[in-house]
Amino acid sequence: MRGRLRLGLSGVVLAAAVVVSLAACGGGSDDGGTAGTEQPAVEATASSESPASQDPETSPEADGIPDETVPEEELTPAEGEFSEEQREYLADRVPRGVDPAAILEVGDEACYRIGYLERHDRAGALRALRDGEIPNAEAAVEHLCPEYAELLAEATD
């Protein structure tokens, strides 16, 4: 029963992260460079931690269920292989029972949003990075899109 609960909680957390990430993206529309700047309410709910893991009383660990992630050596995609950069990004991020490709998609989405904003509104990109409006931006830049490292550094200075 605990295994099912853990899988269910992991699935809910992942689904929420994907929905928030996609909603924050603005659906990919070209709105003249204001993407990501008009959605503070949506972005405020995006966090690398689930609400359950922020409250020790309601966390899965409080019920005796350890918060387990898949070890890096066990990460396997449905087809092909992960690159070393992808594998490093996924390390310690994939809960047991969750498709690693879904977690990778969140990182890819962060890279896409950073690139889009940089091309269309550099100042907006800097604000979004500085204000934490792009979930997992730091990890995504570190492992998946290092070409934005200078932009991220500028935003955090």
Side-chain angles (χ1 to χ4, degrees):
M1 182 67 177
R2 286 185 176 168
R4 288 184 190 169
L5 178 62
R6 182 180 325 133
L7 290 176
L9 288 175
S10 297
V12 169
V13 169
L14 176 63
V18 171
V19 168
V20 168
S21 178
L22 291 176
C25 167
S29 66
D30 187 0
D31 59 359
T34 60
T37 60
E38 298 178 14
Q39 300 174 346
V42 172
E43 292 299 334
T45 62
S47 149
S48 61
E49 295 180 8
S50 70
S53 67
Q54 294 172 355
D55 182 2
E57 295 292 320
T58 60
S59 73
E61 291 174 345
D63 293 332
I65 303 171
D67 185 33
E68 292 185 32
T69 58
V70 177
E72 185 176 347
E73 57 274 358
E74 292 180 24
L75 293 170
T76 55
E79 296 180 5
E81 294 183 14
F82 290 124
S83 68
E84 185 168 330
E85 293 81 10
Q86 291 171 329
R87 205 170 266 293
E88 289 171 359
Y89 175 78
L90 292 170
D92 298 323
R93 292 184 192 282
V94 182
R96 289 220 179 264
V98 175
D99 182 9
I103 303 297
L104 184 59
E105 191 172 318
V106 173
D108 288 339
E109 180 65 27
C111 290
Y112 172 80
R113 287 188 63 204
I114 294 166
Y116 178 87
L117 286 171
E118 182 185 39
R119 287 188 305 275
H120 296 282
D121 182 11
R122 183 175 172 81
L126 291 168
R127 264 191 317 275
L129 288 168
R130 183 180 52 248
D131 297 343
E133 292 181 12
I134 301 174
N136 300 311
E138 292 83 9
V141 168
E142 181 181 350
H143 300 290
L144 301 175
C145 47
E147 63 270 22
Y148 302 123
E150 190 175 304
L151 183 71
L152 180 63
E154 186 178 337
T156 57
D157 285 343

